[in-house]
Amino acid sequence: MSDAIHLIAAKQLVTVDETFGTPANPLGVIEDAVMVFDAEKILWVGERDRYPENLYSDACWLIDPKLTEDKVILPGLIDSHTHPVFAGDRAKEFEQRLQGVSYQEIAANGGGIQTTVKATREASEEELFALAKKRLERMLSFGVTSVEAKSGYGLDRQSELKSLRVIARLQQALQMRIVPTYMGAHDIPDEYKANPDQYVQRLCDELIPEVAESALAEFCDVFCDEGYFNAEQSRAILQAAQNHGLGIRIHADEFKAIGGCEVAGDLKAASADHLLNITDSGIAALKAGETVATLLPGTAFYLRLPYAPAKKILEAGIPLALATDFNPGSCMSENLQLVMTLACLQMRMTPAEVIKAVTIQAAKALKLEHQKGSLALGKSPDFVVFDVANYQELLYHFGVNFVEHVVIGATLVHTTHARPPLPCLSSFD
Ligand code: NIG
Ligand code: FE
């Protein structure tokens, strides 16, 4: 790895770092800023005319400052809840939903997750890899530098391991940080529909220990909702995961509050996600468990459901993250920027709350907050240059992609320029 030291200039450097934050400037925005970094960490951040010129005498510009000094730089966005490994599509079910059939009715008739499970079981590892790679690259093009990726469309032992291997191969192929989650409890497989408890037992005694042993997953997730796994089953699954050293997260209160948040809080899960129907007791449980609330407004939009009570959750002092929930059934979009605008308009979150939710809070949801999620000294130099005049424009002007450059670990991994800007202009002025 190169040990070169680079500089980048910005009109606004949105650090999301408490060191620079004040009540009037909650995101720690530095105007007319410069950031200095090597391949591993951020070395200096501040106003450009305060940079001590000879601090790093061999530092050079990663991108010509004339190309970025009127742009806004944010920490690389973090999408902390996605389901990118699947084959097939659900366009037919989309049309059925437009005719008034609900998501749950489609699932009860053997469609829904099971449609995708059939296609995913039949697909080869190679096919799944190619499909998922395209999806993650699309996320990257929207400014995402770290992403959580779940299995969960295989449901049998082999197909789940196949999906997790795909995620491991994606981590080898892409520079994004990919956090793998085992979601064998995404649905009850057809083979066990008559006896779900038997599947739960198998998950706890055999499948989770094997996945943990394989080191193919960092987290285990469960879909705790009516018609899927109940609270007691979810607790058993997540407890087994914890006993085998996996981090835990949960899909809770999407359709009905059946105790998922209470399980999350009790077990101190890293994150509880969806929460469209969260109750006061669920809010209290997340607060007590220091569990991040991850809201997925793209799913409420796509299923035309009421949105989660974001303001109430924030007022309770719970860290709130936002993610896409990218998946073929309930949110077929990789666009985290669109989700950010939905959060403003439909859940009345402020632009500052939204930006924290897709950076530092999403990092917390993945236990990455010590390396990612803000442009703080010592953290990874993962950042995005957006072609906007101020950070609010990113939320206000919606449905377009403002990403101009994406940098991960001092490497320009994505650019909209036909000829990538050359690094290493050496003089500082
Ligand atoms: O997060 N809620 C559970 N799972 C997905 C939907 C999966 C699907 O419909 O394929 C979700 O919304
Ligand atoms: Fe999900």
Side-chain angles (χ1 to χ4, degrees):
M1 197 173 273
S2 146
D3 53 5
I5 296 176
H6 291 292
L7 307 148
I8 189 101
K11 176 162 188 288
Q12 286 191 334
L13 188 75
V14 182
T15 65
V16 199
D17 181 9
E18 278 167 10
T19 321
F20 297 103
T22 63
N25 179 13
L27 294 176
V29 176
I30 305 172
E31 305 281 341
D32 299 318
V34 74
M35 181 166 74
V36 189
F37 52 97
D38 63 17
E40 254 130 55
K41 55 189 180 307
I42 295 168
L43 301 167
W44 194 89
V45 159
E47 286 163 29
R48 190 164 165 183
D49 55 14
R50 294 208 179 170
Y51 175 67
E53 229 177 283
N54 43 19
L55 187 60
Y56 295 102
S57 51
D58 50 354
C60 56
W61 296 100
L62 184 72
I63 298 172
D64 185 339
K66 289 187 189 63
L67 297 174
T68 63
E69 64 198 3
D70 57 347
K71 307 282 158 79
V72 174
I73 294 184
L74 259 69
L77 306 183
I78 300 177
D79 194 342
S80 58
H81 181 142
T82 86
H83 304 251
V85 186
F86 63 87
D89 70 77
R90 307 247 287 278
K92 276 204 190 102
E93 294 181 6
F94 178 72
E95 289 208 29
Q96 279 179 292
R97 286 201 293 111
L98 298 178
Q99 286 152 10
V101 190
S102 75
Y103 178 86
Q104 290 104 309
E105 283 164 340
I106 291 171
N109 289 329
I113 293 176
Q114 297 296 340
T115 304
T116 306
V117 168
K118 279 184 204 96
T120 304
R121 285 182 177 180
E122 280 164 20
S124 70
E125 191 170 315
E126 220 40 63
E127 283 163 345
L128 284 176
F129 175 78
L131 287 166
K133 181 161 177 279
K134 238 182 169 173
R135 294 165 185 147
L136 292 195
E137 284 169 341
R138 206 172 280 132
M139 291 175 193
L140 178 78
S141 76
F142 284 110
V144 170
T145 57
S146 298
V147 59
E148 184 253 14
K150 303 177 199 293
S151 70
Y153 287 111
L155 298 188
D156 64 25
R157 177 185 169 274
Q158 266 192 348
S159 312
E160 282 296 306
L161 289 172
K162 174 175 72 177
S163 303
L164 290 171
R165 281 196 304 272
V166 165
I167 299 172
R169 285 179 57 195
L170 290 165
Q171 182 62 93
Q172 294 302 312
L174 301 171
Q175 270 139 320
M176 305 163 87
R177 171 73 160 89
I178 304 172
V179 177
T181 294
Y182 172 55
M183 202 171 178
H186 196 189
D187 197 356
I188 295 145
D190 268 350
E191 308 83 270
Y192 288 92
K193 277 269 154 48
N195 195 350
D197 280 333
Q198 212 179 334
Y199 183 56
V200 173
Q201 199 65 48
R202 185 154 177 241
L203 277 166
C204 296
D205 296 347
E206 187 192 327
L207 301 171
I208 288 171
E210 185 180 6
V211 167
E213 176 70 20
S214 74
L216 286 170
E218 291 178 36
F219 284 93
C220 178
D221 196 344
V222 55
F223 189 7
C224 179
D225 221 304
E226 199 172 60
Y228 297 86
F229 295 88
N230 64 31
E232 194 192 330
Q233 293 166 331
S234 302
R235 184 185 291 272
I237 292 165
L238 295 181
Q239 233 155 17
Q242 246 171 0
N243 293 342
H244 286 89
L246 293 171
I248 57 167
R249 46 207 322 108
I250 188 167
H251 284 57
D253 299 359
E254 180 178 1
F255 299 114
K256 206 167 169 188
I258 61 161
C261 284
E262 288 76 357
V263 170
D266 275 1
L267 299 182
K268 294 190 169 289
S271 178
D273 303 31
H274 282 291
L275 315 183
L276 302 186
N277 294 293
I278 192 168
T279 60
D280 288 348
S281 125
I283 289 179
L286 297 189
K287 173 91 179 150
E290 294 174 46
T291 298
V292 176
T294 299
L295 304 189
L296 313 164
T299 306
F301 170 73
Y302 205 68
L303 297 183
R304 294 181 300 165
L305 296 171
Y307 289 77
K311 281 300 204 190
K312 208 170 157 181
I313 292 169
L314 284 168
E315 276 156 21
I318 294 168
L320 188 159
L322 287 163
T324 58
D325 190 24
F326 170 71
N327 76 77
S330 68
C331 192
M332 188 62 171
S333 174
E334 296 94 336
N335 187 345
L336 189 57
Q337 289 179 54
L338 183 57
V339 166
M340 290 161 68
T341 292
L342 284 177
C344 289
L345 293 172
Q346 303 292 343
M347 303 197 300
R348 295 174 188 263
M349 288 175 66
T350 64
E353 286 166 348
V354 165
I355 287 176
K356 280 191 181 170
V358 293
T359 54
I360 193 66
Q361 306 294 47
K364 267 187 210 146
L366 297 178
K367 305 252 184 233
L368 290 178
E369 71 271 28
H370 300 298
Q371 306 143 48
K372 314 272 181 193
S374 67
L375 300 176
L377 297 187
K379 283 198 180 181
S380 312
D382 298 354
F383 60 88
V384 185
V385 180
F386 285 101
D387 184 20
V388 286
N390 52 66
Y391 72 81
Q392 288 90 342
E393 192 183 347
L394 205 53
L395 295 309
Y396 150 73
H397 187 157
F398 79 102
V400 266
N401 187 357
F402 284 109
V403 168
E404 191 162 329
H405 309 288
V406 182
V407 176
I408 301 181
T411 304
L412 185 64
V413 295
H414 175 83
T415 179
T416 56
H417 290 205
R419 294 209 342 230
L422 290 174
C424 277
L425 289 154
S426 51
S427 70
F428 184 91
D429 55 37

